Amino acid sequence: MDNAMFCYQCEQTAGSKGCTKVGVCSKSPDVANLQDVLIFLMKGVGFYAMKNIEKGNKISQEIGEFFTECVFATLTNVNFDEGRFVKYIRKANQVKMQLKESAGDVGQVPEGADFIAPETKGEMLNIPKMPNLGVMDDENLDMDIRALREFLIYGIKGMGAYHHHAYVLGKYDEEVAEFMCKAMGSTLDKKLTVQDYFDLNMELGKVNLKCMALLDAANTDTFGHPEITEVLITKKKGPFIVVSGHDLRDLGDLLEQSEGKGVNIYTHGEMLPCNAYPGLKKYKHLIGNFGGAWQDQQKEFDSLPGAILMTSNCLMKPRESYKDRIYTSSIVGFEDVQHIETIDGKKDFTPVIEKALELGGFPQDEEEKKIPIGFARNTVLSHAGTIVDAVKAGQIRHFFLIGGCDGARPGRNYFTEFAEKTPPDTIILTLACGKYRFNKLDLGSIGPFPRILDCGQCNDAYSAIQIALALAEAFDCDVNELPVSYIISWYEQKAVAVLLTMLYLGLKNIYLGPTLPAFVTPNVLQVLIDKFNIQSISTPDEDLKTILG
């Protein structure tokens, strides 16, 4: 390996082709290459894990969680810390050797399955090129197979994020962990065809549906079902902590530890929906939501007189102006940024709380402004009869699911314009941080519902899917016969996992943007068009005309 890199796993990759010098996300070539080594090791771990399972040997939860953590750590905007990856790689060596020994004789072993990485960072960064190590290291690999292989790997990374958030709340699933191992291990098999990879991607969509249901259960069993809530989006006087990312467990622990300390807690980015959970909003110092989507954080945090906690992906390279008051937790990491360690299963957020008190916070209140959230499946389906009646009466003509990841690439104003131009007899379901493009607009209401229904985080695509399936049942029709269109913005690998789930369910007429994935070849794209009528966004006017006629 040299000091070059190649990465095209996110939507903002350089030139829509691939980052080769430094990541648009600020990932250095060394971090990128260490991530490649770790993923290469996980392929071998997956291979030997499946050989153990075939012989009746169960894979321990400890190994399943470690596998999950490793793939999650390589997801975009999660971990930029070289030292943490060196530790992951050393442990992955040990796990692979343990699995290899317990598997015994497995017959023919695919190239790369036995690979053990060197122990020092310098040696890890100077491993000779070999097939399956980096994305492009096998120059003779069929382009379509490479595309579907990377589709699968990125889906595994996205599902790994959801599985991690679930098991930190006590919901571990053996089938999810075993599938991730099987799918990752399969990428070493040079005999796999395009059809084999397509089938594995569809299976990932199926398993990810179960994984999102698992996370839904973890969140709601722990904190209750989201309720319709008016959440404050303006500032309140006093010391504060801004919590970003996705991890409800971290937010719950922070709220508990900071109660009565005189510190306000604001959510940020994908944490906005947390304000609707009864078990979280019971804390009166969960004051509201600050700011917008993840890509605005450098500007928003630049002169912020408070502490910041990053709980999962969405971390950008911290500016020096706030590096001393941003903290990472769990999988998240950046060199020279203070990290809250997990010790005996617990985290002590005292340093974050003390930093907030030291900084003093906002000097005065802003005029209050609130927006409604909390329209998850339990809330919406409790009004299913009202919705069905409104559709039959012509009050609701169409539903738009406008959701997914936000990002900085030009063209995402499409989603704002699309929402603004939807007719007044239509409802918008939204989720993930893409909602920040329009969630503060007042588009009116239809009956008891505002026209914008915030369903939650990206994993709450599960909620939106359950709503669609329930409506199909109520109308006694196929889900694709419903007056529902899917307008999806994507950025990273959780969006890939969710898209595969939508395709597994047979959902059609998905509009995807602002650009199509760089790892999708023309042939693979044509299959997606032919089978699912998936298409790239054009302009709001043209797409609305096509959808509504």
Side-chain angles (χ1 to χ4, degrees):
M1 299 174 74
D2 54 28
N3 201 38
M5 62 179 283
F6 184 84
C7 181
Y8 60 2
Q9 68 178 6
C10 84
E11 189 270 335
Q12 290 182 184
T13 191
S16 295
K17 293 180 180 179
C19 296
T20 57
K21 295 181 179 179
V22 67
V24 172
C25 65
S26 299
K27 180 167 60 176
S28 71
D30 283 356
V31 168
N33 289 323
L34 290 170
Q35 289 183 357
D36 284 347
V37 172
L38 181 59
I39 289 297
F40 190 36
L41 281 167
M42 287 299 104
K43 294 175 182 180
V45 167
F47 171 80
Y48 281 109
M50 290 314 299
K51 291 302 176 184
N52 273 275
I53 291 167
E54 288 169 9
K55 293 189 174 188
N57 303 329
K58 287 286 186 183
I59 301 303
S60 69
Q61 183 169 336
E62 180 183 0
I63 288 178
E65 289 185 0
F66 175 69
F67 187 100
T68 299
E69 185 170 333
C70 286
V71 296
F72 185 10
T74 68
L75 191 144
T76 302
N77 291 94
V78 173
N79 199 325
F80 300 81
D81 190 332
E82 295 175 19
R84 298 264 295 280
F85 282 108
V86 169
K87 291 178 182 177
Y88 279 134
I89 289 167
R90 289 171 180 162
K91 184 172 179 180
N93 283 338
Q94 297 170 5
V95 169
K96 184 188 285 191
M97 289 188 287
Q98 175 188 335
L99 288 170
K100 182 178 179 180
E101 182 178 351
S102 61
D105 183 14
V106 298
Q108 188 173 359
V109 176
E111 183 180 6
D114 284 341
F115 169 76
I116 297 296
E119 286 293 300
T120 69
K121 183 176 79 172
E123 292 173 307
M124 291 173 188
L125 291 171
N126 284 284
I127 298 168
K129 181 185 290 190
M130 63 182 78
N132 242 318
L133 175 51
V135 174
M136 295 295 182
D137 282 350
D138 188 347
E139 296 170 356
N140 298 317
L141 186 65
D142 179 87
M143 289 191 303
D144 296 329
I145 286 179
R146 190 194 316 276
L148 288 166
R149 181 193 69 184
E150 296 307 302
F151 221 130
L152 183 67
I153 291 171
Y154 304 152
I156 293 168
K157 293 183 181 190
M159 189 162 65
Y162 294 148
H163 193 222
H164 180 271
H165 292 315
Y167 72 64
V168 296
L169 288 171
K171 298 283 188 181
Y172 174 85
D173 190 277
E174 192 175 84
E175 180 189 349
V176 170
E178 288 183 0
F179 174 78
M180 287 195 290
C181 288
K182 179 186 86 168
M184 190 69 87
S186 73
T187 65
L188 294 173
D189 187 349
K190 292 185 176 181
K191 298 188 298 295
L192 291 192
T193 64
V194 165
Q195 187 63 51
D196 292 329
Y197 271 113
F198 181 84
D199 292 344
L200 278 167
N201 274 286
M202 290 302 100
E203 188 178 356
L204 188 146
K206 176 183 178 181
V207 178
N208 187 57
L209 180 63
K210 181 177 184 180
C211 189
M212 289 195 295
L214 183 79
L215 179 52
D216 179 270
N219 289 338
T220 56
D221 287 358
T222 307
F223 301 111
H225 283 279
E227 302 168 339
I228 299 175
T229 303
E230 292 281 326
V231 60
L232 184 75
I233 57 171
T234 45
K235 302 167 187 172
K236 298 290 284 185
K237 180 180 179 180
F240 65 90
I241 300 168
V242 169
V243 184
S244 195
H246 301 72
D247 198 295
L248 272 64
R249 167 72 186 272
D250 275 354
L251 177 60
D253 289 350
L254 175 65
L255 286 166
E256 183 179 352
Q257 293 177 30
S258 59
E259 190 172 26
K261 300 286 180 66
V263 175
N264 291 327
I265 307 295
Y266 294 88
T267 56
H268 175 268
E270 284 259 48
M271 296 298 278
L272 167 61
C274 296
N275 291 275
Y277 284 88
L280 296 171
K281 71 176 186 174
K282 70 179 182 182
Y283 292 99
K284 301 306 179 187
H285 63 302
L286 178 58
I287 206 74
N289 190 73
F290 170 81
W294 66 273
Q295 77 276 1
D296 295 328
Q297 68 187 257
Q298 290 176 321
K299 176 178 62 179
E300 291 176 345
F301 295 168
D302 198 30
S303 58
L304 201 64
I308 305 143
L309 176 65
M310 302 298 300
T311 68
S312 70
N313 58 304
C314 295
L315 174 67
M316 296 179 72
K317 181 180 181 180
R319 292 178 177 174
E320 290 299 325
S321 59
Y322 61 86
K323 204 171 185 179
D324 65 333
R325 57 183 183 273
I326 188 168
Y327 298 76
T328 58
S329 175
S330 185
I331 315 290
V332 194
F334 207 101
E335 288 187 354
D336 301 324
V337 167
Q338 301 166 86
H339 188 69
I340 305 298
E341 299 285 353
T342 302
I343 301 174
D344 297 327
K346 296 182 179 180
K347 297 173 187 173
D348 182 0
F349 290 108
T350 300
V352 192
I353 297 166
E354 290 180 344
K355 176 60 73 172
L357 291 168
E358 173 194 327
L359 291 166
F362 296 124
Q364 60 190 26
D365 292 345
E366 281 186 335
E367 183 179 351
E368 283 195 359
K369 183 178 180 181
K370 296 182 178 182
I371 57 172
I373 63 169
F375 294 93
R377 62 180 175 85
N378 201 55
T379 298
V380 175
L381 292 180
S382 68
H383 294 84
T386 304
I387 295 172
V388 170
D389 289 344
V391 173
K392 289 179 177 178
Q395 291 177 284
I396 300 175
R397 177 172 31 148
H398 205 86
F399 296 88
F400 296 98
L401 173 60
I402 310 177
C405 316
D406 205 358
R409 185 190 293 274
R412 289 184 185 268
N413 58 333
Y414 165 94
F415 299 97
T416 310
E417 293 176 21
F418 190 100
E420 289 175 327
K421 291 180 176 180
T422 54
D425 57 354
T426 61
I427 291 283
I428 296 172
L429 304 174
T430 190
L431 47 84
C433 61
K435 74 180 65 140
Y436 282 105
R437 291 285 166 172
F438 54 84
N439 69 333
K440 293 167 187 171
L441 299 175
D442 183 0
L443 298 184
S445 59
I446 299 177
F449 296 105
R451 286 193 51 233
I452 299 175
L453 303 182
D454 186 341
C455 297
Q457 293 184 336
C458 59
N459 52 282
D460 290 311
Y462 176 76
S463 264
I465 288 168
Q466 294 305 309
I467 291 169
L469 294 176
L471 289 175
E473 183 177 351
F475 284 105
D476 191 24
C477 68
D478 182 88
V479 69
N480 287 310
E481 295 173 329
L482 287 171
V484 178
S485 300
Y486 308 94
I487 317 299
I488 307 299
S489 60
W490 83 283
Y491 173 68
E492 39 84 327
Q493 296 80 67
K494 296 198 302 303
V496 173
V498 172
L499 177 62
L500 288 172
T501 294
M502 295 174 75
L503 299 182
Y504 157 72
L505 290 168
L507 301 182
K508 295 184 179 181
N509 305 316
I510 299 170
Y511 288 74
L512 188 65
T515 61
L516 294 175
F519 51 85
V520 172
T521 59
N523 288 336
V524 171
L525 176 60
Q526 193 60 51
V527 170
L528 296 178
I529 293 171
D530 293 343
K531 288 183 70 69
F532 305 105
N533 197 29
I534 194 168
Q535 51 199 297
S536 180
I537 60 173
S538 58
T539 68
D541 288 325
E542 290 176 7
D543 291 341
L544 278 166
K545 183 178 179 180
T546 301
I547 292 166
L548 297 175

